[in-house]
Amino acid sequence: MAGRDMRQIMKWARFAPVLLLLLGCDANIVEDPNAESGNDGERGKAQRLAFGEPVNDHITYTEGDMTDWKYIQVPSSGDVTVRLGCDYTGAYCGANVRDEVGRLVSRIRTEGESRVERTLELARGNYYLEIFCPASATDYTVQVDYEPN
């Protein structure tokens, strides 16, 4: 009896991946969440941010623009304050701050808040902001300020 039950289980187990795929599909999810990112969808195409000047942009996972990349040039060691505001608080957008070789320096998450701010002590160099929206869409504003040590 146990052998027969196990054969039945194994017979139906073959279909489990297909069933999971069919049940888990979301028609709003695109294959490549950055297929429509345009000229700022990769770190190598990051747009430069000027200190003290807010920049408005839009990110949308469902329309293929999940990630925007920006960069700053820190002229000497100092405090850098990143301000990120998302118009749609349910988007849970965020930003990863990365150094010149892509190592993660800091994670900034809105976590349901409309505006967040993080001050980092950074050395001289280029730093990248990987701004993303993991599952929704929102307009956002980012501003970076710099105070030398």
Side-chain angles (χ1 to χ4, degrees):
M1 182 84 159
R4 184 175 178 204
D5 291 339
M6 184 55 96
R7 280 193 298 273
Q8 285 291 87
I9 292 170
M10 294 304 289
K11 178 181 173 183
W12 289 104
R14 297 182 302 184
F15 299 104
V18 174
L19 291 172
L20 289 173
L21 180 64
L22 291 174
L23 294 173
C25 285
D26 182 349
N28 292 323
I29 297 176
V30 294
E31 283 185 32
D32 178 1
N34 282 307
E36 302 297 323
S37 278
N39 62 351
D40 63 355
E42 301 172 16
R43 186 167 54 121
K45 297 178 181 178
Q47 297 176 344
R48 184 172 182 206
L49 293 176
F51 293 122
E53 295 183 18
V55 171
N56 300 309
D57 209 334
H58 182 79
I59 44 180
T60 171
Y61 178 83
T62 56
E63 295 174 22
D65 184 15
M66 182 178 92
T67 309
D68 286 350
W69 286 86
K70 314 290 186 197
Y71 80 96
I72 57 172
Q73 293 180 318
V74 178
S76 63
S77 294
D79 290 333
V80 173
T81 301
V82 178
R83 292 179 179 85
L84 178 64
C86 296
D87 290 359
Y88 174 51
T89 58
Y92 289 88
C93 64
N96 291 326
V97 180
R98 298 184 179 275
D99 68 10
E100 292 177 331
V101 296
R103 285 183 297 226
L104 184 65
V105 174
S106 182
R107 287 186 169 99
I108 303 168
R109 303 291 185 266
T110 60
E111 298 183 357
E113 298 293 323
S114 61
R115 305 283 182 260
V116 291
E117 180 177 306
R118 173 84 42 86
T119 300
L120 308 166
E121 188 173 329
L122 299 177
R124 180 181 184 268
N126 291 336
Y127 292 87
Y128 295 86
L129 277 71
E130 176 187 15
I131 302 165
F132 59 90
C133 182
S136 190
T138 187
D139 291 325
Y140 71 89
T141 302
V142 62
Q143 179 176 329
V144 180
D145 295 309
Y146 165 73
E147 185 67 37
N149 286 340

